[in-house]
Each structure stands twice: as C-alpha cells, then as structure tokens.
Amino acid sequence: MKRRTFLKNTGLASAAMWAPSFLQSIPNRTNGKILIVVQLSGGNDGLNTIVPYRNDKYYELRPDIAIKENEVLRVSDELGFNPAMGDVQALFDEGYVSILNNVGYPNPNRSHFRSMDIWQTASDSNEYLTTGWLGRYLDSQCAGCDSPHAALEFGQGLSLALKGHEKQGFAINDLQQMERTSKNPLLRYLGQQDQHSHEHEEAAYLYKTLLETQESTNYLLEQSSGRRTRANFPATRFGKDLRQVVELILAGNNSKIYYVSLGGFDTHANQNGPQGRLLSIYAEGMKALADELSKHGLWQDTLVMTFSEFGRRVAQNGSRGTDHGAASNLYLMGGNLKRAGFYNNGPNLTDLDKGDLKYELDFRQVYANVLNNWLDAERTDILGGRFADLGII
Amino acid sequence: MLIKIKHLYQRAGFGATPAQWRQMKGQGFDSALEQLFVEAKQAPPLTVISFEETVEATMADRRKAGRLLTQQYVLEWLDRMADPTESALLERLTLFWHDHFACRSLFGHLAIQQLNTLREHALGSFRDLCLAVAKDPSMIRYLNNQQNKKNSPNENFARELLELFTIGRGHYTEQDIKEAARAFTGWGSTYKGKYRFRAREHDYGQKTFLGQSGRFNGEDIIRIILDKRESAEFLVRKFWNYYVSAPENEAIIQDLTTVYFESDYNTEVLLRTMFGADWFYEERFRGGQIKSPVVLVAGLRRSLGITFGQPQAQLRLLRALGQVLFDPPNVAGWPGGRHWIDNATLMLRLNIGAGLLSKREIDLRFRDMPELEIVSDPKTRRLEATLDLAPIQEMTTGTDLAADWENLAEYLLPGSSRLELDRLSALVDDTTGDERLRRLLLVLFSMPEFQTC
C-alpha cells in the first residue's frame, strides 16, 4: 500500500527523526535486571545430572549408566550432582542456585522439535502458536525495550521463543561476519533509503528491518569492543557465547534478555562420556559467568534459567543410553533468589507415565514467576494468566 | 498486460525465465493463463526408486539412510521447480498442499509417495486429495493413526483433520473428534509404504458426528465434513493467504467459497476463477507477498540458470532461511509472511545475490544441526554456482544505463525501483559486458523489493 502521507512528511524529517530511538535515549533498563536463558538442546538427561543417589529403583533401571553413589557430589540426603557439575555445586553452596524437580507439562510430546516449540511458545501440547513467550513479552510488556536488540540470541537464526507479533529478538552468530555484511556499502546505501517511500508495506518492513539490523550491529560491535574479560570461560562455542554476553553486560549494553544454547544432549548411546563433557562445559561456563558478574556487582541483577525440551526415559536402553522422556529438572541461578536450594522433592521413580517421570510443576509456572517478579510484566497477557506463581524469584 | 502476466507468473509460479519474459511481451493474457494449466496437466510424477533399490533397504542405519533419501527427493523437487520446461503452477500448488497437509517425513520412500499423491490430486478434487492423504503412510505415522485402535483410540489425526485440514475451529466439538477418531481406527500402513486396513482394530459401531449418526468409517467422516460449506470457506481462506497474501476481502472470500463449494471442491476451477479475476491483479496486491525461501531459491534459479557446484548446499541455504521441506515446524505448517524475516535471515537473503554473482562467500556453517551431518561435505557449506547469464544479457543494451536498469528492474522487481542514477552509475563504474551485467544484477538482488512479489 502506498504511504503517501509519509511521503508528504519527509520534507520535515530532521536528522533526529532518523537516528534510532535507542541511541537518542540513555540506555534504559527500567530496573537493570537481566535474564539469561540457557537452552540445553537435545533433551538433557536430568536424572544423571541431579542424581537420586539413595534410590534403589534408579540403580535397578540403569545398571550400566547410573552415576555411582560414591561419585555423586552430594548436596542433600537424597540428591547430588553429576561429578561433572562441580562448578555448579560451588554456586549451589553459595545459595545462588534453585533446582526445580519434575518440571514439564500435560500430555508431553517426545519429539525434539515439537517439545522445543511447546517450551518456546509456552503452548499447550495440542496448541500451535507462532510466537514465543519472550517475543510476546517484547511485544507488549517490555518497558525500555525500544531497541531491536532488547533480546539477543547467540546462534545462526532466531528461536521461536524470541519471535513476537510485532517485535522480535536479534540473532548474533559471528559478530565479525556481521560486521562485514553491515559494512557492505551497497547495503548501507540501501538501508539509508527512506523506508516510507517504498511501494508496499512489506517492502517498507524489510527496509526498516535492514536499517535496524545495521544500527544494532554497529552498536553491538562498538559495545563488545569496549570491554574484554579475562575470566576463564570454556574454549568452546558455548563458552565464547557466554564470554560475549558478559562483555556486553559489562559494557553497559542495553539488552535485557540473552539467549544461549548448548547442544548435543540427545544421548541415545553410550551417554555418560558425552553427557559428562557437556555438563562440565555448562558448569564451567556458569561459574565463570557468576564469578565475573559478581566481581562487578552485577550478579544480583542477573537471573539465569536453564531448561531442556524434555528429560529422558528412566530406564536405560540397549545401547547404554537413554531415549526421549518427559518431565525433568530446571535450574535457576542468580545472586538474588528468594528460595535457593531444592524447590521440591526429587522424582518418584515408582510412579511413572509410560516409563517417564510425571510432571509436578508446569514450566509455565516458572515463566510466570520470571515474567512477573523479574521482568515486571503482567504475565496474564503473555501466558493467558493460567499459572500460579512459585515464589522463587 | 505485461504487468498482469508478470504477477500471474510470480504468484502462480516462481517468476518467469528470461525466455518466458521475452515471449510474454507478445502474448495475450488468456493464452498465458491457459498455458500454465496445460503445462500442469502434462507434468509427470517424480521418479520413484523402488523400496528394494533404495539405499535404505541396504544401509545399516535406516534412519540416516531414510533422511538421505528424503534429501535426494527434496533436491529433485527443487530441480522441477527451477526447470523452465516443467510446470511452475503445479509445483507451486504442490508446495501449497505440502504446507497445508504439513507432515514431517523422515523416510524417503514414504516422503516421495506423499509428494506424488499431492501432485496427482493437486488440481483435482479436494475430496479425493483429502481421502488420499488420510491413507498416506507418512501422514498415518506423523499423526499417530498407526496407533489408532478400537480399544485405545488415538485422536491426533482426527483432531488435525478437523482443525487444520478441513473445517477449522469453531465448527465441531471435542465429542466430534472422539467419534471421528473411532471411524479412522484400523487405518494403518506397512513399513514399505502401503496403506493397510486392519479390520480387527476397526470400530464398526455406531457413531454420531456433526449431527449425523451411522456406522461411519473414515471415508464417511471426510464426506460429512466436506458436505459443509464452512469447509470450502476454510480452504478458500488458506488459498487466499497463499496466493493473494493480503488482508481478507470478505465479499471475494464468499464468492470464491461459492465457486469451490458448488464445483464440489474442484481446485482447478477455483484457481482459474482466482487467476482470471481482475481483482487478483490490483496494484494493492502486487509486491505484497514476502517470498518463502523455496520460492526465492526456485525463482533465482529460473532467472539465472544456476548450476550448483554442490546441489546439497541448497539444503543448507533453505535451513538457514527457515524452510526445510518434509520437515515443517509443526502440523500447522510454515507461518509464512513476516515470520520468515529476522535480522539474520534478512541479511542472508540480501547477500545471496552477492554469493552467486561475485566471489563473496556465503557461509552456511551450522553450529548444531545433527540432521545435516549427512551433508557434512565441507564443500556444501559454500554456495558455489555457475550461471547462464546470456538470456538475461539479451534484455540489456550494454550501453544505456537507465534503459538497462529499467528493463532488468521491470523483469525482477514487483514494482518500480527508485534508485538514483548517479549512485547506480558509481556502482557499475566503467565495467562492460558480463561484469557490468553482474553489477547491475547484484544491486537488484540486494534490494529488499526483490524479496517480495
């Protein structure tokens, strides 16, 4: 559709009008709080992460892959950490970790893709939504989130979690590569074309997205070169992503949400080696993140939520691995938790649903708590208001 | 006239090839429309490798082999979309049905069977198509009808049949779903991909569905649903979204619904009505569709005559752009429109032209995409291509910049383009011949308008 009214107005456009709004205002996180979401992709085996080391049923159903009692890092009479999770145990001992057991949803879906969609959109298991829970937060509730990079994801593309109806998050794969494309003179020139003069709304939308992408890329490049940290992050993609998150936070970047992923948890065969390696990357990363942010007094303002699309079958399979399961555990970390430690009891291994753990807490209750108490949003608009608060945050 | 035919080719197909574009200039609209339907009826099915011949039957890792075969068929399908001697209308319509009957199909021999079923009935009766899909092995597996048995009904297929495939929410109850599920009990398939009715698992009892009672089977259920005008309306809204891509015009929707319903769901009649109507070509509808990744890639191939060094690189490209054929996000299909666009996909889209036309490298590495392991050959991470630019070069004078720009823009963009000639001249510099053409095309493919049609 032609936007003739806009064309008429362009004569009045001042330079300020075309400067992005987030540069005009002072970086403005209403309450300075930051949410970091860590997605463990592939379905992390929660039972071998938080181990019910006193449970005979656990050892009976997992003769080859159960974590031996004497290797478990014990933190309660019932439960302990996988030996690879020593760094998380240290944070747990400081009161920086809250562990929620048996988190899931009714009628669990055991497909990676579908279950991940359910978690990311906060839908029911038979409901298909095209927006994510954090995307809807950006749409309606996020005060001070004018910039296109209010939510930053580290990955090739943007997850459904960060897609809203009107607004969406910003994906960073490789900042250096993004710098090359954003400096492409032709695209720079095109980005400067008056977005309202384009023939159709859809073209105008693409021009607007192009311009915002270029501005955000430049802003983020500037921010990320501002602070370097020497903290000891794992030398993996995940570690680099976390380092980038910390450097951006330390530089005063005005993003409110960071979304990072660690993949490879689909452990159908010989799982203990690979899962242990992944958990130690995760734990080292979390420790480095917490230490570095604590050092700068920012850990109080940080909440890290770690989830996976499902847990795994309680019984091991024939290849010393585990198949797709249902409910599992979820971790919240930060310097400002109301309830640290174990939120609820460990899993009941004698009352299973087709061999999988039954859920006790709906993951959307956790979201409700995060939205309401951390992000200051009215959760009713975003989650439909059906989920009671947990009171952890 | 040219503008009409161009829009028709864009929306009913993937855009014209340079040769078709030349031909269009002397062609009447009616004959251009007729030609699309003639081509569609002559199109042969995709080649099927028999189950015994498939790698799947011989390879130890059946899952992996099944995926590999699915990818081969995706590439074959993309070749059809890009081949100017094939029917663009049929391929674009099949893509619509693939999106409508969204189904994840990991086993190649089942995927190709479903694809050929969609193609066979694409322009025919939706009644036949819907029934064929209900008996299709991929669908039977995807929506768990394999587990739908008399003593333990599984409602998954029945629910989606009503909600997403035929009539839509608001026209049935939860009880209707339960009754419909009972009617489809026993509809199963063999691993090799044959529909099999398992009489012992079928519930022959009385059912009450949408107000009617009888000893219904699945066929009856589909008949009863499609006897309702609301189903025709639901489908027409989906066609509208796919082919018109604009806020719905209720008067036109109702007219089209009447056409579809009274023709007893004859899809060819519906499409001829849409493509034959003046409103379809109104200015407000032109340029209002963001191309899906598949439409974008097929269109690029048609206009540039692309031969890929590694055809599998296309799979990576489509994955990065958010559309993997036979692997939709869920049973509701691809949400489409602006959902295709985020900062990462937009920058990749705007850089594809550069990757094809200049030496700039498009990086298609992935961090964590286990299903792409099978195309792990590092060469597939680069978009290497040779182009046949001679036909497109014929549209240009080689000397008159303003005229050449106008000709190319008219061919490639939905509307006019407003690029300052000074700027263009600077970009083209003093280059001549092939290099000059490449630079002009590079500018056009970098323009956001090229992402729309």
Side-chain angles (χ1 to χ4, degrees), chain B residues 167-413:
Chain B
I167 197 166
R169 283 190 183 190
H171 301 290
Y172 54 87
T173 63
E174 282 294 306
Q175 189 58 33
D176 287 323
I177 293 174
K178 288 195 165 61
E179 301 285 301
R182 288 175 57 214
F184 282 102
T185 47
W187 289 39
S189 81
T190 64
Y191 176 72
K192 289 193 177 185
K194 289 248 185 318
Y195 168 74
R196 201 179 63 175
F197 178 67
R198 295 163 300 181
R200 269 184 302 179
E201 311 286 5
H202 183 69
D203 181 344
Y204 286 93
Q206 190 86 1
K207 292 119 191 157
T208 300
F209 178 71
L210 297 181
Q212 299 187 38
S213 295
R215 297 183 183 281
F216 298 141
N217 61 23
E219 225 162 306
D220 299 319
I221 295 295
I222 290 174
R223 175 176 51 76
I224 293 167
I225 302 174
L226 295 183
D227 283 347
K228 302 243 174 223
R229 185 185 154 95
E230 288 87 348
S231 297
E233 184 180 327
F234 178 83
L235 290 161
V236 161
R237 287 183 196 280
K238 290 203 80 169
F239 277 105
W240 174 280
N241 185 37
Y242 187 73
Y243 284 110
V244 186
S245 306
E248 291 171 359
N249 177 315
E250 274 311 310
I252 301 177
I253 295 276
Q254 291 310 321
D255 287 351
L256 291 173
T257 299
T258 303
V259 168
Y260 205 31
F261 193 59
E262 289 184 354
S263 70
D264 204 25
Y265 296 91
N266 185 318
T267 301
E268 180 177 344
V269 169
L270 176 69
L271 289 187
R272 279 181 181 274
T273 306
M274 281 174 72
F275 300 152
D278 286 340
W279 57 257
F280 191 80
Y281 303 93
E282 281 176 25
E283 191 185 355
R284 61 191 167 127
F285 295 144
R286 298 200 304 263
Q289 183 176 89
I290 295 177
K291 293 173 184 169
S292 71
V294 169
V295 169
L296 176 69
V297 169
L300 277 165
R301 288 183 60 180
R302 280 186 177 242
S303 42
L304 295 179
I306 299 172
T307 310
F308 287 105
Q310 297 288 330
Q312 287 171 325
Q314 291 173 95
L315 302 174
R316 286 182 170 270
L317 179 62
L318 291 172
R319 155 69 69 183
L321 292 172
Q323 190 174 30
V324 180
L325 294 173
F326 296 116
D327 194 1
N330 57 56
V331 64
W334 289 278
R338 293 186 184 183
H339 288 276
W340 294 123
I341 303 300
D342 59 49
N343 68 301
T345 58
L346 179 63
M347 293 314 270
L348 179 55
R349 280 171 175 251
L350 299 182
N351 274 290
I352 293 174
L356 294 171
L357 291 158
S358 65
K359 290 279 158 261
R360 192 175 307 149
E361 207 165 275
I362 300 284
D363 187 358
L364 295 172
R365 276 175 301 170
F366 284 95
R367 290 177 180 194
D368 183 35
M369 289 286 165
E371 70 271 34
L372 283 171
E373 280 166 15
I374 8 186
V375 283
S376 57
D377 185 337
K379 279 187 240 152
T380 67
R381 293 174 195 162
R382 290 196 306 272
L383 205 58
E384 286 176 348
T386 49
L387 313 178
D388 177 15
L389 292 179
I392 214 169
Q393 188 127 33
E394 286 179 27
M395 292 180 201
T396 62
T397 63
T399 49
D400 183 343
L401 187 62
D404 289 352
W405 173 255
E406 200 177 313
N407 285 338
L408 292 172
E410 190 186 20
Y411 167 56
L412 288 167
L413 304 182

Side-chain angles (χ1 to χ4, degrees), chain A residues 75-102:
Chain A
V75 282
S76 84
D77 292 343
E78 304 287 333
L79 301 169
F81 286 104
N82 182 300
M85 292 273 278
D87 281 332
V88 170
Q89 186 196 11
L91 296 174
F92 185 92
D93 291 342
E94 298 269 356
Y96 293 153
V97 181
S98 178
I99 294 172
L100 291 78
N101 288 303
N102 317 315

Side-chain angles (χ1 to χ4, degrees), chain A residues 90-145:
Chain A
L91 296 174
F92 185 92
D93 291 342
E94 298 269 356
Y96 293 153
V97 181
S98 178
I99 294 172
L100 291 78
N101 288 303
N102 317 315
V103 182
Y105 53 92
N107 305 312
N109 192 300
R110 288 162 180 84
S111 143
H112 293 291
F113 299 87
R114 183 64 196 132
S115 195
M116 191 57 95
D117 275 3
I118 291 167
W119 274 85
Q120 293 200 356
T121 61
S123 73
D124 287 333
S125 113
N126 62 359
E127 182 186 21
Y128 303 98
L129 300 182
T130 53
T131 56
W133 70 288
L134 292 168
R136 294 195 294 277
Y137 166 71
L138 295 175
D139 271 347
S140 61
Q141 299 280 344
C142 183
C145 289

Side-chain angles (χ1 to χ4, degrees), chain A residues 69-372:
Chain A
E69 199 178 333
N70 59 6
E71 291 173 5
V72 171
L73 310 174
R74 301 175 191 194
V75 282
S76 84
D77 292 343
E78 304 287 333
L79 301 169
F81 286 104
N82 182 300
M85 292 273 278
D87 281 332
V88 170
Q89 186 196 11
L91 296 174
F92 185 92
D93 291 342
E94 298 269 356
Y96 293 153
V97 181
S98 178
I99 294 172
L100 291 78
N101 288 303
N102 317 315
V103 182
Y105 53 92
N107 305 312
N109 192 300
R110 288 162 180 84
S111 143
H112 293 291
F113 299 87
R114 183 64 196 132
S115 195
M116 191 57 95
D117 275 3
I118 291 167
W119 274 85
Q120 293 200 356
T121 61
S123 73
D124 287 333
S125 113
N126 62 359
E127 182 186 21
Y128 303 98
L129 300 182
T130 53
T131 56
W133 70 288
L134 292 168
R136 294 195 294 277
Y137 166 71
L138 295 175
D139 271 347
S140 61
Q141 299 280 344
C142 183
C145 289
D146 303 333
S147 85
H149 53 266
L152 273 188
E153 171 162 8
F154 292 78
Q156 280 89 5
L158 199 62
S159 292
L160 191 49
L162 295 172
K163 292 189 179 181
H165 291 288
E166 303 294 326
K167 294 187 178 176
Q168 44 188 347
F170 192 87
I172 295 184
N173 185 22
D174 175 338
L175 264 177
Q176 275 62 50
Q177 197 194 335
M178 287 173 70
E179 182 174 18
R180 282 197 297 277
T181 40
S182 94
K183 283 191 174 157
N184 174 339
L186 177 56
L187 292 181
R188 276 172 83 99
Y189 169 72
L190 290 171
Q192 294 307 312
Q193 301 302 297
D194 176 358
Q195 54 186 274
H196 296 301
S197 71
H198 302 292
E199 297 218 351
H200 203 283
E201 282 176 13
E202 299 311 299
Y205 176 77
L206 297 178
Y207 272 95
K208 175 172 159 277
T209 308
L210 171 61
L211 181 62
E212 287 177 352
T213 300
Q214 291 168 330
E215 286 167 350
S216 282
T217 304
N218 292 340
Y219 172 82
L220 291 167
L221 279 165
E222 213 168 282
Q223 294 278 295
S224 71
S225 60
R227 287 296 276 266
R228 290 276 174 250
T229 167
R230 271 178 294 191
N232 208 7
F233 285 94
T236 62
R237 187 76 241 183
F238 179 71
K240 281 184 201 158
D241 289 345
L242 288 179
R243 179 187 298 279
Q244 190 95 70
V245 169
V246 165
E247 288 177 351
L248 284 168
I249 293 173
L250 295 183
N253 171 45
N254 57 4
S255 304
K256 201 173 174 69
I257 297 168
Y258 296 85
Y259 202 102
V260 288
S261 308
L262 177 59
F265 285 95
D266 194 17
T267 49
H268 286 280
N270 303 315
Q271 79 165 37
N272 284 13
Q275 195 208 12
R277 280 190 289 281
L278 289 170
L279 289 178
S280 72
I281 290 170
Y282 168 71
E284 281 173 38
M286 289 300 108
K287 182 76 164 53
L289 178 93
D291 288 351
E292 191 64 7
L293 292 178
S294 296
K295 204 165 89 188
H296 294 88
L298 291 163
W299 186 231
Q300 290 288 322
D301 295 330
T302 306
L303 178 70
V304 186
M305 184 188 90
T306 305
F307 79 99
S308 193
E309 70 267 37
F310 44 61
R312 307 191 75 84
R313 193 72 33 93
V314 176
Q316 70 179 58
N317 64 20
S319 335
R320 292 170 185 264
T322 46
D323 296 322
H324 302 179
S328 188
N329 35 47
L330 179 153
Y331 325 123
L332 292 167
M333 298 183 197
N336 199 4
L337 297 173
K338 272 193 209 148
R339 276 182 72 172
F342 289 100
Y343 179 82
N344 55 349
N345 287 332
N348 181 346
L349 301 187
T350 54
D351 180 21
L352 301 177
D353 168 24
K354 295 175 200 148
D356 294 330
L357 299 180
K358 286 186 177 170
Y359 88 100
E360 176 188 343
L361 302 173
D362 194 302
F363 70 97
R364 290 163 293 189
Q365 289 175 272
V366 185
Y367 289 1
N369 202 184
V370 170
L371 288 166
N372 205 30

